[in-house]
Amino acid sequence: MSNPFLPVSRRTVLRGGAVIAGGALAVPLLGSRAVATPAQVRAGRPVLTHGIQSGDVGQSSATVWTRADRPSRMVVEVSTRPDFKHSWRVPGALLTPRSDFTGKTVVSGLPDGADVYYRVTAVDLADPRRAAEPLTGHFRTVPCRAPDVSFLWSGDLGGQGYGIDPALGGYRIFGAMAALDPDFFLCNGDNVYADDPIEATFTDPGGVVFHNLVTPEKSKVAETLDEYRGQYKYNLLDEKLRAFYAQTAQIQQWDDHETHNNWYPGEILSDPLYTEKRVDVLKYRSRQAWHEYMPLAPRYDAEERIYRVLHHGPLLDVFVLDMRWYRDANSTDKQTFNDGGILGSEQARWLKRSLAASTATWKVISNDMPLGIVVPDTTQGLPNIEAVSQGDPGTPLGRELQIADLLTFIKRQRIHNVVWLTTDVHYTAALYFDPAQAAYSDFDPFWQFVSGPLHAGGFGPNALDATFGPQQLFVKAPPVANASPATEYQFFGQVSIDAASSVLTVRLRDVTGAVLWSTDLQPQRR
């Protein structure tokens, strides 16, 4: 069977010729429409149903994603000009029922450090004369040299009953994010809430009524593969999200809600909404849907792992963790030995190797669960812990043992300029981890920045655990639980690196894009 995630080089395309007969495709520049026109339906042409995306962009390559409504061949046209002069075409992935008609094509041979414009269509497999109306997007390739870098991060999208209400602006935060024109967007996890059905109406604590769009798959918890796929299709109904994804490359990560709240391997759910209660069955369906709908470069190992490092030129490496698939069971987290912790042994070894090998000035670790913030697991009705810290301010216990070992490794290997970014807790904060204030002090000081949610209930702030000495220098959280996206309590963060000085600036922003707090971090040289 043909691979739906087919990498094709520019050289191959130039040697093999164009796939679509005729001249250049005429499309409106930078469009992201995802709804078929009546003329398309009458003509029987394929339709790109859920927009286009790009992700895991490198110096000379990028992964482009789309979905069609029928069996077809994905075709990508690429240019360094917005008018598509001197463009070339890449015949890419087959879009078939096997992958829910999604596909990803790796486009290579791109110039480094360039604005790249791409447009995607689909050619009907049954009738090659029929092609979809193209959609047009943009991304920036990674530079070989060291120009300024700017990216955004956040997570938590479509949770706690808050779906897409067009009258309230839909997923309005993506409009503010698009205005900043970042080099890429780092989604820190909970891209969907597969365990959280959306109802047609939902009233927030302030009395604002959300009139949500609803779909059959989003009207119940996801258990089947098609229901998991439906979670991603739901979010892609939002116009602001589709427009942002079409224009901004992504680095994607997952957390728990892509499968089930607070899940861990081997768990048997007590959730009455579920017929299939074995997490080890659900997680494979969830992971397949995640890979199908994320513009993740198709370079998987046998486990289709999500943890990886993305190199962004001399100034930045981004280390994407998976604190879900390999974790030990949620418990009171007071073990006196390291039983694999929250990363698992192999991922922890990989992270050490990758950090030690990094030559980038800044090493940003994207961890989907925070350090030093106590996140309880309330799903089991016990004092179990969902993240790393359990609230015991003494020496490391449980999952803290693995983090202590990692922090000490970073210190002894003299790995400088490590910054941690996270989301998860549904508020925004800046934490400075100070060994002089810590029960365990064998580590260098470091920062962790928290920002989110994108469009979900606002909560917090949570308690801190003094084991690693976190000092909360800024926090903004709502005064009531489950504050809605109609309020100011939705957040994202921005990281900028100045090429001349290598100074890294973090800005914590609200749903309008307003800066709430910022700091400049000076690089430490080896």
Side-chain angles (χ1 to χ4, degrees):
M1 186 175 290
S2 298
N3 186 350
F5 305 143
L6 178 68
V8 184
S9 70
R10 178 183 181 184
R11 180 171 299 177
T12 299
V13 175
L14 293 176
R15 185 172 60 241
V19 170
I20 301 177
L25 300 171
V27 297
L29 292 181
L30 306 185
S32 60
R33 185 174 56 179
V35 179
T37 66
Q40 282 179 292
V41 174
R42 287 195 299 271
R45 299 165 60 188
V47 177
L48 301 182
T49 58
H50 291 80
I52 55 176
Q53 305 178 57
S54 66
D56 283 12
V57 176
Q59 290 183 353
S60 62
S61 65
T63 299
V64 175
W65 175 96
T66 197
R67 181 182 186 273
D69 67 339
R70 70 193 68 185
S72 50
R73 168 76 72 177
M74 178 182 179
V75 179
V76 184
E77 188 177 6
V78 185
S79 178
T80 56
R81 294 172 52 125
D83 61 3
F84 282 85
K85 190 173 182 179
H86 307 304
S87 65
W88 67 94
R89 290 178 180 144
V90 179
L94 289 178
L95 312 179
T96 70
R98 175 189 172 204
S99 59
D100 198 29
F101 302 106
T102 67
K104 293 184 275 193
T105 298
V106 176
V107 181
S108 58
L110 303 172
D112 75 280
D115 284 280
V116 176
Y117 303 89
Y118 68 100
R119 55 189 174 197
V120 182
T121 190
V123 179
D124 195 322
L125 292 183
D127 185 352
R129 297 170 299 177
R130 300 182 186 274
E133 179 181 349
L135 300 179
T136 307
H138 159 269
F139 57 82
R140 292 191 183 99
T141 52
V142 171
C144 290
R145 293 186 173 86
D148 296 346
V149 178
S150 177
F151 71 92
L152 310 179
W153 93 93
S154 189
D156 298 299
L157 182 59
Q160 287 75 51
Y162 299 114
I164 302 168
D165 182 345
L168 292 177
Y171 291 164
R172 62 191 180 111
I173 197 169
F174 286 98
M177 292 162 62
L180 295 173
D181 190 26
D183 294 320
F184 62 89
F185 168 56
L186 170 62
C187 183
N188 198 236
D190 291 343
N191 198 299
V192 298
Y193 276 72
D195 57 342
D196 197 351
I198 293 294
E199 298 181 353
T201 59
F202 186 84
T203 304
D204 78 1
V208 175
V209 179
F210 278 70
H211 297 278
N212 296 317
L213 298 179
V214 294
T215 63
E217 297 93 343
K218 195 60 187 168
S219 298
K220 69 175 294 293
V221 297
E223 298 179 83
T224 69
L225 176 57
D226 282 342
E227 288 167 351
Y228 278 111
R229 289 164 167 166
Q231 310 303 307
Y232 299 92
K233 286 186 275 195
Y234 179 83
N235 281 346
L236 289 168
L237 294 175
D238 184 78
E239 293 184 2
K240 290 184 177 66
L241 179 147
R242 285 199 315 274
F244 180 74
Y245 281 180
Q247 298 307 311
T248 309
Q250 301 170 53
I251 296 176
Q252 281 285 349
Q253 185 174 23
W254 77 345
D255 190 29
D256 56 335
H257 289 287
E258 286 86 353
T259 306
H260 183 274
N261 187 32
N262 298 349
W263 75 271
Y264 54 84
E267 182 181 8
I268 303 299
L269 301 179
S270 58
D271 192 328
L273 296 179
Y274 283 77
T275 301
E276 176 54 75
K277 297 184 183 294
R278 296 168 295 174
V279 163
D280 285 352
V281 172
L282 297 173
K283 71 180 184 181
Y284 283 99
R285 297 169 182 170
S286 166
R287 187 177 66 175
Q288 180 174 337
W290 191 88
H291 276 295
E292 288 173 345
Y293 277 84
M294 293 292 109
L296 178 75
R299 296 190 296 266
Y300 314 139
D301 57 15
E303 288 189 341
E304 296 187 344
R305 67 179 182 176
I306 291 169
Y307 68 85
R308 62 205 189 279
V309 58
L310 285 303
H311 305 290
H312 199 87
L315 289 176
L316 175 65
D317 279 348
V318 179
F319 299 84
V320 179
L321 301 187
D322 181 351
M323 291 177 148
R324 190 56 53 184
W325 191 271
Y326 310 97
R327 63 166 52 201
D328 57 2
N330 290 358
S331 68
T332 56
D333 200 34
K334 293 188 177 181
Q335 307 94 300
T336 57
F337 57 93
N338 181 357
D339 61 355
I342 201 163
L343 298 175
S345 300
E346 177 55 37
Q347 183 178 191
R349 289 191 292 268
W350 164 85
L351 182 56
K352 287 181 179 180
R353 292 194 305 269
S354 300
L355 285 168
S358 174
T359 59
T361 304
W362 291 96
K363 294 88 174 166
V364 168
I365 299 178
S366 179
N367 52 308
D368 44 295
M369 299 244 66
L371 310 180
I373 297 175
V374 180
V375 184
D377 178 5
T378 58
T379 63
Q380 299 181 356
L382 299 170
N384 284 357
I385 294 298
E386 159 69 351
V388 173
S389 300
Q390 72 292 100
D392 185 323
T395 58
L397 295 170
R399 293 169 180 161
E400 292 172 337
L401 291 165
Q402 185 179 64
I403 301 304
D405 177 67
L406 175 62
L407 295 177
T408 297
F409 174 85
I410 290 171
K411 174 184 176 180
R412 294 181 181 173
Q413 294 296 314
R414 303 184 68 186
I415 302 170
H416 302 309
N417 309 322
V418 178
V419 174
W420 299 71
L421 302 181
T422 193
T423 303
D424 187 70
V425 287
H426 294 235
Y427 61 90
T428 189
L431 285 81
Y432 180 71
F433 287 74
D434 185 355
Q437 305 293 323
Y440 180 85
S441 60
D442 193 10
F443 66 93
D444 289 331
F446 67 95
W447 286 86
Q448 174 182 258
F449 300 98
V450 185
S451 201
L454 286 164
H455 187 95
F459 294 89
N462 292 27
L464 299 181
D465 184 316
T467 296
F468 300 120
Q471 309 299 299
Q472 190 163 261
L473 302 186
F474 172 80
V475 63
K476 184 168 183 178
V480 296
N482 204 24
S484 86
T487 69
E488 64 190 282
Y489 297 103
Q490 309 285 290
F491 308 104
F492 66 95
Q494 180 182 23
V495 175
S496 302
I497 306 175
D498 178 73
S501 64
S502 297
V503 170
L504 183 146
T505 300
V506 177
R507 298 177 179 90
L508 303 179
R509 296 178 179 266
D510 69 12
V511 66
T512 70
V515 176
L516 305 173
W517 183 89
S518 68
T519 190
D520 294 331
L521 304 184
Q522 299 290 332
Q524 184 178 353
R525 307 295 182 182
R526 288 203 180 206

